[in-house]
Amino acid sequence: MKKVIGISSTMVESVISNTLRVDENYINAVLHTGASPVCLPIPRDVSMASRFVERLDGLILSGGSDIAPFLYNENPIPEAMEYQFERDAMEIALLQAAYEKKLPTLGICRGMQLANVHFGGTLHQDLSVQLPDALEHHTKDWKDSAYHFVEVEGDSILGKCFSEKKVIVNSHHHQGIRDLAPSFRVTARSADGLPEAVEYLGDWNFHGVQFHPERLYFKDEFCKIFKILLEVC
Ligand code: MN
């Protein structure tokens, strides 16, 4: 039986009707592993999350808008961008249900940040203001700019995806992990010290990456992130 991987979606509001959107790259990345992707809705009743998780073999929390800073007890700074309370609430419920079921989970960009917040960490609301010496991590050009090196920890599970310790990744984020959640360890960092990947310390296969492997899935080592971290192979 093919494994079924759930992918969280984002809400696009419209006067006619709200629409759910999932970046096609996540779908293609999951298809490329041989698993079956399923796009997950954002119901108002977040208790649906455990129902969804019961039917899944793996979960991807996808990228997207900012996490509401209230979730880590802060008021928004002027540079904070749009956030969606409904999406935050649903993804926290998915994450908690996945944690309880020990469902393999991969948090990508926003997904990693959300997990860090849920398990007690905090975020830089905007790197250019709060970490001004940081590398360029944010670009509106999704094609090829703002790539940078990361140093991958060799003894991590992420380390099994790459033959080299120094890896070039893409970078499309203006927020980042400030205080790491106590239950996480950092498995990759950029040269400015910012966490670019984390894993859960304990008996749950949770991994977070700050970069976007779904946009590079056709490269073997980035496809391995989906295969190994989601236990698809
Ligand atoms: Mn980056």
Side-chain angles (χ1 to χ4, degrees), residues 88-147:
D88 285 349
M90 183 57 192
E91 289 190 343
I92 285 169
L94 284 168
L95 190 65
Q96 185 60 30
Y99 167 73
E100 286 164 15
K101 195 196 160 190
K102 306 297 180 215
L103 183 73
T105 300
L106 176 59
I108 295 179
C109 194
R110 167 196 155 83
M112 175 182 92
Q113 294 170 1
L114 185 89
N116 184 59
V117 168
H118 180 58
F119 289 100
T122 65
L123 303 180
H124 294 289
Q125 290 188 40
D126 184 84
L127 293 170
S128 67
V129 174
Q130 295 178 321
L131 204 63
D133 294 333
L135 300 173
E136 178 59 86
H137 288 276
H138 188 221
T139 177
K140 296 200 166 49
D141 177 6
W142 283 82
K143 291 240 165 57
D144 58 4
S145 52
Y147 278 63

Side-chain angles (χ1 to χ4, degrees), residues 136-137 146 148 169-173 190 194 196 210-211:
E136 178 59 86
H137 288 276
H148 58 68
V169 299
N170 51 12
S171 193
H172 304 284
H173 55 107
S190 43
L194 198 69
E196 286 273 342
Q210 185 58 79
F211 50 93

Side-chain angles (χ1 to χ4, degrees), residues 21 58 67 102:
R21 188 181 66 198
I67 313 291
K102 306 297 180 215

